Amino acid sequence: MDARKTDWGKAVIVQLRRALAAVAVALATTGADSAAQTTHAELVDFYDAWRAFEMPAFEGGVPDYTQRAMDRQHAELEDWMDRLYAMNVDGWPIAQQIDWHLIRAEMNGLDFDHRVRRPWARDPAFYATVFMAESDVPAHEGMSVHGFVDTWKYDYPLSAADAAEITEKIGAIPGLLEQARGNLDDSNARDLWLAGDRSFGGQARDLEAYGRQVAGTSRELDASISAAADASESFRTWLEAEAPSKTGPSGVGEENYTWYMQNVHLVPYTWSDQVMIMRRELARSHSSMRLEENRNRHLPELPRIDNAKDYDDLLNMSVTRYMKFLRDEEVETLEPWMDAALRAVNGSFSAAEPGEVRNFFLEVIYRSPDAFRPHMHHWIELARMREDPHSSPIRATPLLYNIFDARSEGLATGVEEMFMHLGLLEGQPRARELTWVMLAQRSARALSGLRLHGGVYDMEDAVANAMKWTPRGWLTEGELVRFEQHLYLRQPGYGTSYVSGKVQIEELLAEYAMAEGDGFTVKRFFDAYYAEGVIPTVLARWAMTGEKDPILDLGRR
C-alpha cells in the first residue's frame, strides 16, 4: 500500500476519533448540573472519550509530543475538567462516585505532567518503546510513550498479521527518536538524562536480541528492527554526548510530591509523612530482623538452592503450600485459575558461584521460596483482572499514571508480613528473618527515592543509601539500584508505594475489624478489599467503611 495513503488514513482516523470524543463528551455532560440528568452510563461514555483525548495525535505511526501539541492538549484539558466537575454526583451511590474520582485523579495526573513532570521534555527514557517482559502490575511501571510495543504479548512464531503490526510499531522508533531530540532540547534534568543513556543502551541490546529471535519472519520486520536498534544506539550516543551540559535537578520537590500523592495517586500522606513512615519501618524491620536472628542463633543458616531439579521441585511445592495455606487459614476465596497463575511465573534455575550475590530478591527466593511467595500475589491479581474483571469499565482498565501502585505493590508487600503472622512460615523460623530483610530493603530504597525528589540526594547518594541500609550486603548491584531509583524518580510515589500502600492496608484492616466487631474475619476483609478492584486504598476504604478521606474533597488547583 502507498505509504502516503496509509498516513492519510491514520490522520483521518485520529481526527475522527477526536471528533467522536468531543461528541461523546458533549452528550455525557449535557445538563450535568442536575443529578437526575447525569447517570453512571454517561460517566462511562465520558471516560471513554477522556481516554481518547489523553492520547496524542499520531503522524506516520509517531505520537506528537512537540511543544505545540502539548500546549494545545493542556489548554483543552481545562475544558475536560470543567465538564467533569459540572457533573453533580453527590447523590450517586458510593461505588459510582468512586469511578468519578478515578477519572478526576487521571485528569490531575495529566495536568501534573503538563505543569511539573513534563516527561516528553525532561525524561529521555520516556521515549523507550520496546518492552520484552510483562510487568507484575496492571500496566508498565513508570510512564510509557504512547505506541509502545510489548513483545511478550505475541505468540511465536509470529503470524503474518502480528509481524506486520510489530513491523509498523518498531518502524516508528527512528522517527520518534528524531522528534525526541527536539522535544528534549531544553532539558537540564541531570539524573534523568544520565539514566536515559542507560535505558537506550538497554533498548538497543533488546532489539538486537529480538531481531535474532524473529530473524527470517519477514524482510520488512528484519529491516525495521535493525533500523530501530541503530536509531536507539545513535540516540544513546547523543544523550551521552550532551550529558556534561546537564546540571539541574530531576526531582519534583516536596510540595509537588505531596500534591501528586494526594490528588493523583490518592495517597493520604505528605512528603514529610512518608519520610517518617519509611524511617519507622526501616527501624522496625532492622530491629525485628535482629531479634529473629537472636532467637534463631542456634539454628543453621538457610542453604541456597543449588541445582535446577531442586529449584523446580521447591518452587512448585511452595505454590502447593501457599494455596493450602490460603484455603486452610480461610484467608480469601480461592478460584480455579489462581494456582496456575502462580506456577506460570516460577522461573528457572540460574547458577551462581559460592559466595556470589545474585539479584536481591533471588537471594531470598533461593533460600526460602515461601518467604517471597506472598509477593507473587501480584500474578493472582493480574489473573483476576483477566478472568473476573470488575463490573465497572472504569475499574476494569488499568489506571493511568501508575495510580494503582500503592494498592498493587502495597498489597504484595503487606501480605508478606501479614501471612507470616497468619502462619505461612510456621516451622521455618529462619525464613521469618527474610520477611524483615525484604521490608528493610524496600524502606531504604523508598527513603532514597523521597530524598531524590526532595533535593536532598542526587542519584549516587540515593544508590549508596539504599545499599547501605539493605541487610546482609545483598544489594550489591549498583546498576539494579540505579534502575530502581530511576523508576522512582520518573514516577513519583512508586518507590514509597510498597510500604505506604502496606501501611494503608493495615490501617484499613484495623478500621474494618472495629466496624465489623464479632462478625470480622480475615477472609471477609480480603474478599471485600479485592472486590473493589485495583484502585487506591482510600477509595476502597470509602466503599468498605463509609468513611470518606478528606483528600477526596480537595478542590482543583
Side-chain angles (χ1 to χ4, degrees):
M1 180 180 292
D2 187 291
R4 289 171 297 178
K5 292 182 179 178
T6 303
D7 290 345
W8 177 84
K10 288 180 180 177
V12 170
I13 290 171
V14 168
Q15 295 304 317
L16 179 59
R17 184 194 71 194
R18 289 181 175 272
L20 290 173
V23 171
V25 171
L27 291 173
T29 56
T30 298
D33 289 334
S34 169
Q37 292 177 305
T38 305
T39 67
H40 186 262
E42 290 170 337
L43 182 70
V44 171
D45 289 340
F46 179 88
Y47 167 78
D48 291 339
W50 147 250
R51 281 299 189 95
F53 166 77
E54 187 271 340
M55 292 183 64
F58 279 70
E59 183 68 32
V62 177
D64 186 358
Y65 292 106
T66 60
Q67 186 67 48
R68 178 183 298 179
M70 293 297 94
D71 286 348
R72 181 172 61 249
Q73 185 187 55
H74 195 200
E76 293 174 2
L77 177 61
E78 288 295 320
D79 183 57
W80 283 82
M81 298 181 84
D82 287 344
R83 293 172 186 272
L84 181 70
Y85 275 88
M87 297 181 186
N88 187 344
V89 302
D90 289 341
W92 286 8
I94 290 174
Q96 295 183 0
Q97 291 190 57
I98 285 173
D99 286 351
W100 183 93
H101 279 278
L102 290 172
I103 299 174
R104 178 180 72 92
E106 289 192 344
M107 288 188 176
N108 283 339
L110 182 58
D111 176 58
F112 188 85
D113 271 6
H114 281 289
R115 293 187 296 106
V116 179
R117 189 160 54 162
R118 300 175 61 243
W120 48 81
R122 298 178 68 246
D123 177 12
F126 175 72
Y127 293 97
T129 306
V130 179
F131 297 85
M132 302 285 281
E134 182 178 9
S135 170
D136 60 5
V137 292
H140 295 159
E141 298 175 351
M143 284 294 292
S144 298
V145 67
H146 290 85
F148 59 80
V149 55
D150 285 326
T151 62
W152 54 268
K153 283 188 174 181
Y154 296 88
D155 294 325
Y156 294 89
L158 292 168
S159 67
D162 285 347
E165 181 177 296
I166 296 175
T167 297
E168 182 177 11
K169 287 187 173 183
I170 291 180
I173 289 175
L176 174 67
L177 297 184
E178 184 61 33
Q179 182 197 125
R181 295 182 190 228
N183 296 345
L184 293 163
D185 190 53
D186 292 330
S187 173
N188 193 34
R190 177 171 176 77
D191 284 329
L192 285 175
W193 196 274
L194 293 177
D197 181 337
R198 294 189 292 271
S199 295
F200 277 91
Q203 175 159 295
R205 291 190 295 272
D206 285 345
L207 282 164
E208 290 169 359
Y210 188 62
R212 292 190 294 272
Q213 177 186 343
V214 300
T217 301
S218 75
R219 286 180 297 177
E220 293 79 10
L221 179 58
D222 290 346
S224 176
I225 293 172
S226 178
D230 289 345
S232 297
E233 177 58 27
S234 174
F235 190 68
R236 187 205 64 77
T237 301
W238 175 72
L239 292 174
E240 182 180 45
E242 295 291 320
S245 68
K246 309 303 177 184
T247 58
S250 296
V252 300
E254 295 180 23
E255 184 177 348
N256 283 326
Y257 195 99
T258 295
W259 190 94
Y260 192 73
M261 289 298 93
Q262 297 185 348
N263 291 274
V264 181
H265 284 219
L266 304 185
V267 170
Y269 308 131
T270 65
W271 181 89
S272 297
D273 290 338
Q274 295 204 61
V275 169
M276 182 67 71
I277 289 169
M278 301 310 148
R279 290 181 60 189
R280 175 69 190 101
E281 289 294 283
L282 182 61
R284 189 174 73 90
S285 56
H286 269 272
S287 60
S288 297
M289 179 192 70
R290 297 303 183 185
L291 296 174
E292 293 276 1
E293 288 174 340
N294 187 76
R295 183 184 182 189
N296 301 331
R297 64 191 182 279
H298 299 305
L299 298 176
E301 295 285 346
L302 290 170
R304 294 197 297 183
I305 300 171
D306 62 4
N307 64 82
K309 183 180 185 306
D310 284 354
Y311 182 92
D312 293 340
D313 290 347
L314 292 171
L315 268 289
N316 278 304
M317 288 168 58
S318 174
V319 174
T320 300
R321 279 195 298 270
Y322 188 64
M323 298 308 297
K324 183 177 186 298
F325 161 79
L326 294 178
R327 181 183 66 250
D328 292 353
E329 296 303 320
E330 300 180 354
V331 177
E332 61 187 77
T333 298
L334 300 187
E335 301 292 348
W337 35 262
M338 291 180 171
D339 184 285
L342 291 177
R343 292 187 197 279
V345 291
N346 272 346
S348 58
F349 176 77
S350 62
E353 296 296 326
E356 177 186 351
V357 178
R358 292 181 172 92
N359 169 286
F360 171 80
F361 292 106
L362 291 182
E363 287 299 321
V364 175
I365 293 168
Y366 276 62
R367 286 172 170 82
S368 173
D370 289 353
F372 191 71
R373 180 59 57 189
H375 201 85
M376 302 302 280
H377 218 87
H378 271 309
W379 299 97
I380 290 178
E381 290 275 277
L382 295 181
R384 191 191 313 277
M385 294 183 76
R386 293 191 304 269
E387 303 291 338
D388 186 23
H390 199 278
S391 58
S392 167
I394 297 171
R395 299 196 215 182
T397 305
L399 297 168
L400 299 176
Y401 311 109
N402 285 184
I403 292 170
F404 52 75
D405 59 0
R407 160 62 174 79
S408 186
E409 300 289 11
L411 174 72
T413 300
V415 294
E416 291 172 0
E417 183 179 342
M418 291 179 185
F419 291 177
M420 177 186 74
H421 292 318
L422 282 171
L424 176 64
L425 302 181
E426 198 70 28
Q428 303 181 61
R430 301 233 70 145
R432 291 174 58 92
E433 298 169 17
L434 301 179
T435 300
W436 301 117
V437 171
M438 291 188 288
L439 180 58
Q441 187 259 5
R442 296 189 181 102
S443 300
R445 69 185 188 184
L447 269 175
S448 288
L450 282 165
R451 290 166 176 164
L452 258 178
H453 277 291
V456 181
Y457 283 171
D458 64 13
M459 178 62 75
E460 294 310 308
D461 293 330
V463 170
N465 181 76
M467 294 172 71
K468 172 184 176 180
W469 284 99
T470 295
R472 302 186 177 181
W474 285 358
L475 198 60
T476 61
E477 295 181 78
E479 285 307 299
L480 170 65
V481 187
R482 288 184 187 88
F483 169 83
E484 292 176 335
Q485 292 301 322
H486 180 210
L487 166 61
Y488 308 155
L489 192 56
R490 300 183 65 225
Q491 178 56 76
Y494 208 101
T496 55
S497 69
Y498 301 81
V499 181
S500 68
K502 175 187 79 76
V503 170
Q504 289 178 74
I505 297 169
E506 291 169 343
E507 291 175 336
L508 175 57
L509 192 156
E511 192 173 3
Y512 183 82
M514 289 287 288
E516 291 280 286
D518 293 341
F520 171 80
T521 68
V522 169
K523 185 175 183 179
R524 279 171 57 83
F525 170 76
F526 278 112
D527 283 354
Y529 188 65
Y530 297 149
E532 296 304 320
V534 186
I535 62 174
T537 293
V538 295
L539 296 177
R541 172 179 179 258
W542 190 12
M544 292 169 65
T545 69
E547 294 294 326
K548 185 180 182 183
D549 194 282
I551 65 168
L552 298 178
D553 289 325
L554 293 175
R556 294 171 62 177
R557 61 171 178 81

